Amino acid sequence: MNERFIAPAFIVSMLCGIGLMVTYAMGGDPQAEGLLLFGAFAGFGTALTLWQKHLLPHNEDVQERHHVESTPEEQKEFLDTIDEGSHDITRRKFLTKLGGGAIGAMGLAALFPLKSLGPNPGDKLFHTDWHEGSRLTREDGSYVRPTDLEEGGIITVWPEGHSHEEQNATLLIRVPVDQFQPKKGREDWIVEGNVAYSKICTHVGCPVALYHEIKHELLCPCHQSTFKVLEHGKPVFGPAARSLPQLPLRLDSAGYLVAQSDYREPIGPGFWNRGRKKGDEA
Ligand code: FES
């Protein structure tokens, strides 16, 4: 291999970078993307190695000078050198441009994976479909009255019209009213011992599905976070650091359980600006 391969190596790198962008924009193919990425870096690395080996000076040359005045032969030789040098400079400029093109193509290709971050969630992380007056609804669409559950009973409920949407899943549990310790300001959030918590674990979002009736604790099966049902869902064990969000309940005029509002804090795991609109209720 010699310097004649520098330009082709840069071109290969550039084409692979462009190919990577096109492949990604057309839906992506991990194997093709891997090969193209390899080609882009291999071409660029080869070009730089050859450049360093063949185009950069490696020796220091010292010319002995005995005569101050140049002979006609020396002058001719000098002029030939300048001519050769100008070709060299032109060639280096061309290679520099190709190298810049290869870097640009790889740089642009590196930006494309940003698209994989997905659509902007907007305000969705702050809200569920619960709202003022939403009836608590079972999986089969039936409504829930406060006496439907025995003490110690638990069911999953959804806002009317939005069943099976993960972010709305809510656990309704009936607890002994005299043992419940409401958080300050939440004294009227339960109805006849019916308390409702988000089913989405505040650690990394698994469904909190196990209820220990004797201890009144909810357990997340993923990493064993444990939440106190009688103490506004506060975590007492495991990696979850935040309480399960509580849904404020009331009765409607027909005697069914309804929500007073949406959750007053974002449900589920933490995210970078979770506290921006609603306070951390840990
Ligand atoms: S997701 Fe619940 S403890 Fe980790």
Side-chain angles (χ1 to χ4, degrees):
M1 290 217 288
N2 59 35
E3 64 199 87
R4 282 179 296 135
F5 292 103
I6 297 176
F10 273 140
I11 290 170
V12 166
S13 172
M14 204 165 15
L15 290 178
C16 286
I18 292 168
L20 189 55
M21 281 187 274
V22 173
T23 308
Y24 195 85
M26 288 174 65
D29 175 339
Q31 286 173 342
E33 285 170 23
L35 280 174
L36 288 166
L37 194 61
F38 172 77
F41 280 112
F44 195 72
T46 304
L48 285 188
T49 305
L50 292 175
W51 188 318
Q52 187 276 338
K53 202 167 173 192
H54 296 288
L55 296 185
L56 294 183
H58 294 283
N59 302 316
E60 193 174 316
D61 295 322
V62 179
Q63 183 181 17
E64 297 284 337
R65 282 184 167 257
H66 301 294
H67 308 288
V68 176
E69 194 179 340
S70 306
T71 63
E73 291 77 27
E74 284 173 332
Q75 287 175 6
K76 183 173 180 313
E77 190 184 339
F78 178 67
L79 289 174
D80 287 348
T81 309
I82 288 180
D83 199 33
E84 245 178 51
S86 72
H87 280 120
D88 212 33
I89 287 169
T90 308
R91 183 179 55 181
R92 286 185 194 204
K93 275 186 182 166
F94 172 65
L95 290 177
T96 302
K97 280 181 186 162
L98 278 181
I103 290 175
M106 282 195 291
L108 281 175
L111 290 178
F112 269 64
L114 289 176
K115 191 167 154 264
S116 297
L117 293 175
N120 184 341
D123 254 12
K124 270 199 229 154
L125 296 176
F126 294 96
H127 301 291
T128 69
D129 293 304
W130 290 102
H131 57 78
E132 152 61 24
S134 292
R135 275 192 178 159
L136 276 61
T137 311
R138 294 184 183 87
E139 204 163 327
D140 61 5
S142 58
Y143 304 137
V144 185
R145 291 186 186 276
T147 50
D148 285 355
L149 291 181
E150 299 287 331
E151 242 181 46
I154 178 170
I155 52 170
T156 301
V157 291
W158 316 82
E160 194 173 1
H162 295 280
S163 55
H164 304 296
E165 290 172 28
E166 189 183 298
Q167 78 277 12
N168 300 321
T170 296
L171 292 169
L172 180 69
I173 307 162
R174 190 142 186 222
V175 298
V177 187
D178 54 339
Q179 292 179 32
F180 190 73
Q181 301 166 35
K183 192 167 182 173
K184 194 163 179 294
R186 297 185 183 178
E187 292 79 3
D188 62 347
W189 284 23
I190 72 168
V191 177
E192 297 179 37
N194 289 275
V195 57
Y197 292 109
S198 167
K199 193 173 181 175
I200 313 298
C201 182
T202 53
H203 178 219
V204 289
C206 288
V208 176
L210 307 173
Y211 180 47
H212 193 306
E213 185 191 335
I214 309 293
K215 291 183 172 177
H216 301 290
E217 287 176 350
L218 282 166
L219 181 76
C220 176
C222 287
H223 313 100
Q224 284 73 53
S225 283
T226 307
F227 304 89
K228 283 280 184 195
V229 172
L230 296 176
E231 294 173 54
H232 46 83
K234 83 174 181 193
V236 288
F237 181 79
R242 197 167 67 97
S243 302
L244 285 176
Q246 186 181 347
L247 185 71
L249 302 178
R250 67 170 174 81
L251 276 186
D252 69 4
S253 55
Y256 291 110
L257 288 168
V258 297
Q260 291 185 31
S261 68
D262 191 2
Y263 286 98
R264 305 281 172 87
E265 60 190 299
I267 57 125
F271 49 93
W272 58 95
N273 57 355
R274 183 172 54 77
R276 180 167 55 88
K277 292 187 177 173
K278 300 181 177 185
D280 190 339
E281 300 281 334

PDB file of all heavy atoms in Angstrom, residues 17 22 39 94 96 111 117 128 130 134 153 163 199 203 214 234 236-237 253 258:
ATOM      1  N   GLY A  17     -20.015   6.466   5.592  1.00  0.00           N
ATOM      2  CA  GLY A  17     -20.730   7.394   6.479  1.00  0.00           C
ATOM      3  C   GLY A  17     -22.084   7.770   5.889  1.00  0.00           C
ATOM      4  O   GLY A  17     -23.109   7.775   6.576  1.00  0.00           O
ATOM      5  N   VAL A  22     -28.153   6.868   5.336  1.00  0.00           N
ATOM      6  CA  VAL A  22     -29.282   6.420   4.506  1.00  0.00           C
ATOM      7  C   VAL A  22     -29.934   5.187   5.136  1.00  0.00           C
ATOM      8  O   VAL A  22     -31.159   5.103   5.263  1.00  0.00           O
ATOM      9  CB  VAL A  22     -28.797   6.108   3.069  1.00  0.00           C
ATOM     10  CG1 VAL A  22     -29.910   5.482   2.244  1.00  0.00           C
ATOM     11  CG2 VAL A  22     -28.298   7.388   2.406  1.00  0.00           C
ATOM     12  N   GLY A  39     -16.617   0.220   8.109  1.00  0.00           N
ATOM     13  CA  GLY A  39     -16.010   0.737   6.878  1.00  0.00           C
ATOM     14  C   GLY A  39     -15.597   2.195   7.027  1.00  0.00           C
ATOM     15  O   GLY A  39     -14.520   2.595   6.583  1.00  0.00           O
ATOM     16  N   PHE A  94      -6.166  18.562  -1.843  1.00  0.00           N
ATOM     17  CA  PHE A  94      -7.235  17.663  -2.285  1.00  0.00           C
ATOM     18  C   PHE A  94      -7.513  16.600  -1.225  1.00  0.00           C
ATOM     19  O   PHE A  94      -8.662  16.333  -0.847  1.00  0.00           O
ATOM     20  CB  PHE A  94      -6.806  17.030  -3.618  1.00  0.00           C
ATOM     21  CG  PHE A  94      -7.720  15.949  -4.091  1.00  0.00           C
ATOM     22  CD1 PHE A  94      -9.033  16.235  -4.448  1.00  0.00           C
ATOM     23  CD2 PHE A  94      -7.284  14.624  -4.189  1.00  0.00           C
ATOM     24  CE1 PHE A  94      -9.880  15.233  -4.888  1.00  0.00           C
ATOM     25  CE2 PHE A  94      -8.129  13.625  -4.614  1.00  0.00           C
ATOM     26  CZ  PHE A  94      -9.439  13.932  -4.967  1.00  0.00           C
ATOM     27  N   THR A  96      -6.794  16.806   1.935  1.00  0.00           N
ATOM     28  CA  THR A  96      -7.360  17.430   3.139  1.00  0.00           C
ATOM     29  C   THR A  96      -8.868  17.589   2.987  1.00  0.00           C
ATOM     30  O   THR A  96      -9.641  17.353   3.913  1.00  0.00           O
ATOM     31  CB  THR A  96      -6.709  18.803   3.375  1.00  0.00           C
ATOM     32  OG1 THR A  96      -5.307  18.615   3.489  1.00  0.00           O
ATOM     33  CG2 THR A  96      -7.227  19.437   4.664  1.00  0.00           C
ATOM     34  N   LEU A 111     -25.006  11.803  14.394  1.00  0.00           N
ATOM     35  CA  LEU A 111     -26.138  12.558  14.944  1.00  0.00           C
ATOM     36  C   LEU A 111     -27.463  11.814  14.788  1.00  0.00           C
ATOM     37  O   LEU A 111     -28.402  12.041  15.540  1.00  0.00           O
ATOM     38  CB  LEU A 111     -26.269  13.918  14.233  1.00  0.00           C
ATOM     39  CG  LEU A 111     -25.167  14.934  14.529  1.00  0.00           C
ATOM     40  CD1 LEU A 111     -25.398  16.210  13.723  1.00  0.00           C
ATOM     41  CD2 LEU A 111     -25.150  15.278  16.012  1.00  0.00           C
ATOM     42  N   LEU A 117     -34.110   8.374  20.305  1.00  0.00           N
ATOM     43  CA  LEU A 117     -34.612   8.736  21.631  1.00  0.00           C
ATOM     44  C   LEU A 117     -36.138   8.766  21.646  1.00  0.00           C
ATOM     45  O   LEU A 117     -36.747   8.832  22.699  1.00  0.00           O
ATOM     46  CB  LEU A 117     -34.067  10.108  22.053  1.00  0.00           C
ATOM     47  CG  LEU A 117     -32.555  10.148  22.305  1.00  0.00           C
ATOM     48  CD1 LEU A 117     -32.107  11.567  22.590  1.00  0.00           C
ATOM     49  CD2 LEU A 117     -32.186   9.244  23.467  1.00  0.00           C
ATOM     50  N   THR A 128     -52.339  11.474  33.965  1.00  0.00           N
ATOM     51  CA  THR A 128     -52.979  10.224  33.558  1.00  0.00           C
ATOM     52  C   THR A 128     -54.374  10.606  33.057  1.00  0.00           C
ATOM     53  O   THR A 128     -54.695  11.797  32.953  1.00  0.00           O
ATOM     54  CB  THR A 128     -53.098   9.253  34.755  1.00  0.00           C
ATOM     55  OG1 THR A 128     -54.051   9.797  35.675  1.00  0.00           O
ATOM     56  CG2 THR A 128     -51.760   9.038  35.439  1.00  0.00           C
ATOM     57  N   TRP A 130     -57.101   9.986  34.651  1.00  0.00           N
ATOM     58  CA  TRP A 130     -58.000  10.269  35.774  1.00  0.00           C
ATOM     59  C   TRP A 130     -58.290  11.755  35.799  1.00  0.00           C
ATOM     60  O   TRP A 130     -57.407  12.573  35.564  1.00  0.00           O
ATOM     61  CB  TRP A 130     -57.350   9.855  37.107  1.00  0.00           C
ATOM     62  CG  TRP A 130     -57.233   8.379  37.294  1.00  0.00           C
ATOM     63  CD1 TRP A 130     -56.118   7.618  37.137  1.00  0.00           C
ATOM     64  CD2 TRP A 130     -58.278   7.469  37.676  1.00  0.00           C
ATOM     65  NE1 TRP A 130     -56.387   6.295  37.393  1.00  0.00           N
ATOM     66  CE2 TRP A 130     -57.710   6.180  37.735  1.00  0.00           C
ATOM     67  CE3 TRP A 130     -59.629   7.622  37.975  1.00  0.00           C
ATOM     68  CZ2 TRP A 130     -58.447   5.053  38.066  1.00  0.00           C
ATOM     69  CZ3 TRP A 130     -60.369   6.498  38.321  1.00  0.00           C
ATOM     70  CH2 TRP A 130     -59.772   5.237  38.364  1.00  0.00           C
ATOM     71  N   SER A 134     -64.096  11.057  37.439  1.00  0.00           N
ATOM     72  CA  SER A 134     -63.898   9.761  36.747  1.00  0.00           C
ATOM     73  C   SER A 134     -64.381   8.638  37.650  1.00  0.00           C
ATOM     74  O   SER A 134     -63.902   8.504  38.788  1.00  0.00           O
ATOM     75  CB  SER A 134     -62.419   9.474  36.492  1.00  0.00           C
ATOM     76  OG  SER A 134     -61.880  10.335  35.582  1.00  0.00           O
ATOM     77  N   GLY A 153     -59.678  -6.458  51.008  1.00  0.00           N
ATOM     78  CA  GLY A 153     -59.850  -6.745  49.579  1.00  0.00           C
ATOM     79  C   GLY A 153     -59.070  -5.760  48.708  1.00  0.00           C
ATOM     80  O   GLY A 153     -58.782  -4.629  49.119  1.00  0.00           O
ATOM     81  N   SER A 163     -59.673   1.783  30.292  1.00  0.00           N
ATOM     82  CA  SER A 163     -59.138   0.581  30.924  1.00  0.00           C
ATOM     83  C   SER A 163     -57.992   0.040  30.078  1.00  0.00           C
ATOM     84  O   SER A 163     -57.875   0.337  28.897  1.00  0.00           O
ATOM     85  CB  SER A 163     -60.231  -0.469  31.075  1.00  0.00           C
ATOM     86  OG  SER A 163     -60.800  -0.720  29.839  1.00  0.00           O
ATOM     87  N   LYS A 199     -50.677   1.892  40.523  1.00  0.00           N
ATOM     88  CA  LYS A 199     -50.128   0.529  40.504  1.00  0.00           C
ATOM     89  C   LYS A 199     -48.701   0.505  39.943  1.00  0.00           C
ATOM     90  O   LYS A 199     -48.046  -0.533  39.933  1.00  0.00           O
ATOM     91  CB  LYS A 199     -51.043  -0.355  39.637  1.00  0.00           C
ATOM     92  CG  LYS A 199     -50.782  -1.833  39.765  1.00  0.00           C
ATOM     93  CD  LYS A 199     -51.832  -2.640  39.021  1.00  0.00           C
ATOM     94  CE  LYS A 199     -51.583  -4.138  39.164  1.00  0.00           C
ATOM     95  NZ  LYS A 199     -52.652  -4.932  38.563  1.00  0.00           N
ATOM     96  N   HIS A 203     -40.051   2.846  41.546  1.00  0.00           N
ATOM     97  CA  HIS A 203     -38.642   2.546  41.299  1.00  0.00           C
ATOM     98  C   HIS A 203     -38.391   2.592  39.797  1.00  0.00           C
ATOM     99  O   HIS A 203     -37.938   3.603  39.290  1.00  0.00           O
ATOM    100  CB  HIS A 203     -38.266   1.175  41.904  1.00  0.00           C
ATOM    101  CG  HIS A 203     -36.853   0.791  41.632  1.00  0.00           C
ATOM    102  ND1 HIS A 203     -36.478  -0.496  41.325  1.00  0.00           N
ATOM    103  CD2 HIS A 203     -35.718   1.530  41.598  1.00  0.00           C
ATOM    104  CE1 HIS A 203     -35.178  -0.525  41.129  1.00  0.00           C
ATOM    105  NE2 HIS A 203     -34.692   0.685  41.289  1.00  0.00           N
ATOM    106  N   ILE A 214     -52.179  -8.845  56.107  1.00  0.00           N
ATOM    107  CA  ILE A 214     -51.966  -8.730  57.558  1.00  0.00           C
ATOM    108  C   ILE A 214     -51.122  -7.492  57.883  1.00  0.00           C
ATOM    109  O   ILE A 214     -51.418  -6.727  58.798  1.00  0.00           O
ATOM    110  CB  ILE A 214     -51.239  -9.993  58.112  1.00  0.00           C
ATOM    111  CG1 ILE A 214     -51.959 -11.262  57.645  1.00  0.00           C
ATOM    112  CG2 ILE A 214     -51.114  -9.923  59.624  1.00  0.00           C
ATOM    113  CD1 ILE A 214     -53.338 -11.448  58.215  1.00  0.00           C
ATOM    114  N   LYS A 234     -46.075   4.992  51.702  1.00  0.00           N
ATOM    115  CA  LYS A 234     -44.643   5.322  51.806  1.00  0.00           C
ATOM    116  C   LYS A 234     -43.779   4.059  51.701  1.00  0.00           C
ATOM    117  O   LYS A 234     -44.177   2.990  52.182  1.00  0.00           O
ATOM    118  CB  LYS A 234     -44.353   6.106  53.081  1.00  0.00           C
ATOM    119  CG  LYS A 234     -44.163   5.283  54.314  1.00  0.00           C
ATOM    120  CD  LYS A 234     -43.743   6.180  55.472  1.00  0.00           C
ATOM    121  CE  LYS A 234     -43.532   5.344  56.717  1.00  0.00           C
ATOM    122  NZ  LYS A 234     -43.423   6.101  57.935  1.00  0.00           N
ATOM    123  N   VAL A 236     -40.970   1.414  52.586  1.00  0.00           N
ATOM    124  CA  VAL A 236     -40.277   1.047  53.825  1.00  0.00           C
ATOM    125  C   VAL A 236     -39.172   0.029  53.574  1.00  0.00           C
ATOM    126  O   VAL A 236     -38.414  -0.303  54.475  1.00  0.00           O
ATOM    127  CB  VAL A 236     -41.259   0.481  54.874  1.00  0.00           C
ATOM    128  CG1 VAL A 236     -42.134   1.588  55.433  1.00  0.00           C
ATOM    129  CG2 VAL A 236     -42.094  -0.655  54.306  1.00  0.00           C
ATOM    130  N   PHE A 237     -39.087  -0.462  52.337  1.00  0.00           N
ATOM    131  CA  PHE A 237     -38.035  -1.444  52.028  1.00  0.00           C
ATOM    132  C   PHE A 237     -37.802  -1.428  50.519  1.00  0.00           C
ATOM    133  O   PHE A 237     -38.708  -1.163  49.749  1.00  0.00           O
ATOM    134  CB  PHE A 237     -38.471  -2.849  52.476  1.00  0.00           C
ATOM    135  CG  PHE A 237     -37.422  -3.905  52.219  1.00  0.00           C
ATOM    136  CD1 PHE A 237     -36.332  -4.045  53.081  1.00  0.00           C
ATOM    137  CD2 PHE A 237     -37.511  -4.732  51.109  1.00  0.00           C
ATOM    138  CE1 PHE A 237     -35.358  -5.001  52.828  1.00  0.00           C
ATOM    139  CE2 PHE A 237     -36.531  -5.696  50.857  1.00  0.00           C
ATOM    140  CZ  PHE A 237     -35.456  -5.828  51.722  1.00  0.00           C
ATOM    141  N   SER A 253     -73.102  11.237  43.132  1.00  0.00           N
ATOM    142  CA  SER A 253     -74.497  11.288  43.592  1.00  0.00           C
ATOM    143  C   SER A 253     -75.180   9.927  43.461  1.00  0.00           C
ATOM    144  O   SER A 253     -76.160   9.654  44.146  1.00  0.00           O
ATOM    145  CB  SER A 253     -75.263  12.336  42.776  1.00  0.00           C
ATOM    146  OG  SER A 253     -75.118  12.032  41.406  1.00  0.00           O
ATOM    147  N   VAL A 258     -65.607   7.769  42.792  1.00  0.00           N
ATOM    148  CA  VAL A 258     -65.037   8.536  41.675  1.00  0.00           C
ATOM    149  C   VAL A 258     -63.771   9.230  42.171  1.00  0.00           C
ATOM    150  O   VAL A 258     -63.546   9.379  43.377  1.00  0.00           O
ATOM    151  CB  VAL A 258     -66.028   9.605  41.130  1.00  0.00           C
ATOM    152  CG1 VAL A 258     -67.278   8.963  40.563  1.00  0.00           C
ATOM    153  CG2 VAL A 258     -66.375  10.623  42.206  1.00  0.00           C
TER     154      VAL A 258
END
